[in-house]
Amino acid sequence: MSTNTSHTPPDSEGQPDAAAEPGAHQARLIHNEETTEIPVHLLFRDGSEPLGPVKVPLESVVVARRKDTGEEPRPTGAEPVPSRPRPEVGPELAERPARALPGAFGVLAGTCGLAGCVATSWWAGLLSPAVARALRLPASAGAGLGPAQWAAYVGAGVLGMLGFSGLARGRNGRAWVLGLFGRYRGTVRRTGLLWVNPLLPRRLVDVRLRHWRSEAMPAADPDGLALRVVVLVVWRVRDTARAVLGVEDHEAYLRQCVEAALARVPVEPGAGTRGGVTAAGDALTGLVAEEAAPVGVEVFSVQPVRVEYAPEVAPAMNRRRIASLDARRRADTLGSVVDSVEDMVTRLAARGLVELDDYDRKVLVRDLTVAFCSGRGEPL
């Protein structure tokens, strides 16, 4: 007995007949952006049995820019752009205290060396009798300059030179950076009379709080017009090793950092304390402090103290500013005149001094406006 089986054809909308498959689920082709299942039996219609749904993983992609449309790419799931790394001078280059002895040790060593030279001269018979009597020394034996005397001279002289040449006066706000054969040996920040190894080259550094008023530097306003800005920078050297050895000239480096920050931060001339100059000063302080920190320079404030337009645009901007001020003054004057006229007409009508219809009210308002404007010297 043969059985005739036939596959039920889909209807006009591409879906199987509900009567032929009562338990079938009506699948939708597109759910939303998160679709992860595609019914394969809608794609292959060769009379075979429909296969089950196949899962297709979808990954985030970056849509490229369309040609000649100016449309920017829309990254979906792209990695964030890494921040710009800060320059580092080197972790091994950092300020550390150097060895320094009290000045009494240097004075004692120098005195001992000087006394040794005098004693050697007396021993060799080179000290005059008058000096010997003044120093209460016995008569010299006059042994002459021999190898022993020369050795005593050299030892006493070296001791005296090391003792006196190593004396230094430490002051507040000053520091010495010590080095030997190109290697950093430490920093001396102590005050008073000190003895520092004279064989180590010293470089004096000013570590006080300092103020620098710059010359007129080029800048730009929010509209891109050229400006000339004078800034006041408050700064100090915090790490003497990085400031002296990490950069050729830390003062020149700070000046270049200020110029670079002015090229990136727009300054609004003539702004009040709530914006413009104050906001630009905060932005400049943050940028310059970040750029100067790796070289041991601490920046506290970068504030514009004088902002003016460049000579090539100054005349046009002055005319524009004067016109704006004049328009604002005219608007204020007109507002006060209108308020005065309205108040006078209202009072006259309220007290019953005049009875005005529409025409008389218009005439009265016109005459009062002319009178008030003429009294204020405003042209009509």
Side-chain angles (χ1 to χ4, degrees), residues 14 18 22 29 32 51 127 174 250 255 259 279 327 333 343 360:
L29 290 180
N32 47 33
L51 300 177
L127 198 64
R174 298 289 194 277
H250 60 274
R255 181 163 46 249
E259 293 180 0
T333 303
D343 183 63
D360 295 336

Side-chain angles (χ1 to χ4, degrees), residues 7 10 14-16 25-31 35-57:
H7 182 71
Q15 301 292 340
H25 177 70
Q26 186 175 0
R28 291 179 296 173
L29 290 180
I30 298 177
H31 295 275
T35 301
T36 58
E37 296 182 0
I38 299 178
V40 181
H41 69 280
L42 296 181
L43 303 178
F44 304 95
R45 304 174 187 226
D46 54 353
S48 61
E49 292 296 331
L51 300 177
V54 178
K55 295 184 178 181
V56 179

Side-chain angles (χ1 to χ4, degrees), residues 1-5:
M1 180 177 179
S2 62
T3 303
N4 186 12
T5 60

Side-chain angles (χ1 to χ4, degrees), residues 8-28:
T8 303
D11 55 5
S12 59
E13 296 180 356
Q15 301 292 340
D17 192 358
E21 298 180 6
H25 177 70
Q26 186 175 0
R28 291 179 296 173

Side-chain angles (χ1 to χ4, degrees), residues 132-164:
R133 287 192 302 268
L135 297 176
R136 298 180 180 180
L137 296 176
S140 174
L145 290 176
Q149 286 79 11
W150 281 114
Y153 264 126
V154 172
V158 170
L159 180 61
M161 290 179 59
L162 291 178
F164 287 123

Side-chain angles (χ1 to χ4, degrees), residues 181-374:
F181 302 118
R183 184 177 179 183
Y184 174 62
R185 292 295 182 179
T187 300
V188 178
R189 286 180 177 258
R190 297 170 56 182
T191 59
L193 185 62
L194 305 172
W195 184 87
V196 183
N197 188 353
L199 300 179
L200 300 179
R202 293 177 254 174
R203 183 170 179 179
L204 187 63
V205 182
D206 191 347
V207 294
R208 295 174 297 179
L209 188 68
R210 303 173 65 181
H211 296 71
W212 170 56
R213 184 185 178 95
S214 71
E215 66 277 2
M217 295 183 174
D221 65 354
D223 297 330
L225 298 177
L227 299 175
R228 292 294 182 269
V229 181
V230 177
V231 297
L232 180 65
V233 184
V234 182
W235 64 284
R236 72 175 179 183
V237 175
R238 185 173 184 177
D239 193 314
T240 55
R242 292 175 178 265
V244 175
L245 306 177
V247 68
E248 182 177 1
D249 187 352
H250 60 274
E251 295 184 6
Y253 179 80
L254 177 62
R255 181 163 46 249
Q256 293 171 2
C257 288
V258 173
E259 293 180 0
L262 283 174
R264 298 167 57 186
V265 177
V267 182
E268 185 176 355
T273 58
R274 293 186 178 180
V277 174
T278 302
D282 296 340
L284 289 173
T285 302
L287 287 176
V288 177
E290 182 181 1
E291 296 295 335
V295 297
V297 176
E298 185 177 9
V299 178
F300 296 93
S301 175
V302 181
Q303 296 295 331
V305 294
R306 190 179 67 190
V307 181
E308 56 187 13
Y309 285 98
E312 58 270 17
V313 298
M317 297 308 300
N318 287 334
R319 289 194 298 269
R320 177 181 176 182
R321 184 179 303 175
I322 292 174
S324 177
L325 292 176
D326 186 66
R328 188 182 308 171
R329 185 177 61 87
R330 287 176 179 271
D332 295 341
T333 303
L334 182 59
S336 62
V337 167
V338 172
D339 293 340
S340 300
V341 171
E342 181 182 7
D343 183 63
M344 179 171 290
V345 173
T346 303
R347 289 187 177 185
L348 290 176
R351 296 182 181 182
L353 299 178
V354 292
E355 294 182 359
L356 302 174
D357 54 8
D358 292 341
Y359 178 77
D360 295 336
R361 183 183 297 274
K362 293 179 181 179
V363 173
L364 180 60
V365 168
R366 182 192 61 187
D367 295 340
L368 290 176
T369 303
V370 172
F372 280 130
C373 291
S374 301

Side-chain angles (χ1 to χ4, degrees), residues 95-172:
E95 180 179 331
R96 61 178 183 270
R99 294 180 180 179
L101 300 176
F105 289 91
V107 174
L108 181 60
T111 304
C112 291
L114 182 60
C117 290
V118 174
T120 303
S121 300
W122 172 81
W123 180 24
L126 302 179
L127 198 64
S128 63
V131 176
R133 287 192 302 268
L135 297 176
R136 298 180 180 180
L137 296 176
S140 174
L145 290 176
Q149 286 79 11
W150 281 114
Y153 264 126
V154 172
V158 170
L159 180 61
M161 290 179 59
L162 291 178
F164 287 123
S165 61
L167 292 176
R169 186 183 65 172
R171 292 180 293 175
N172 291 322

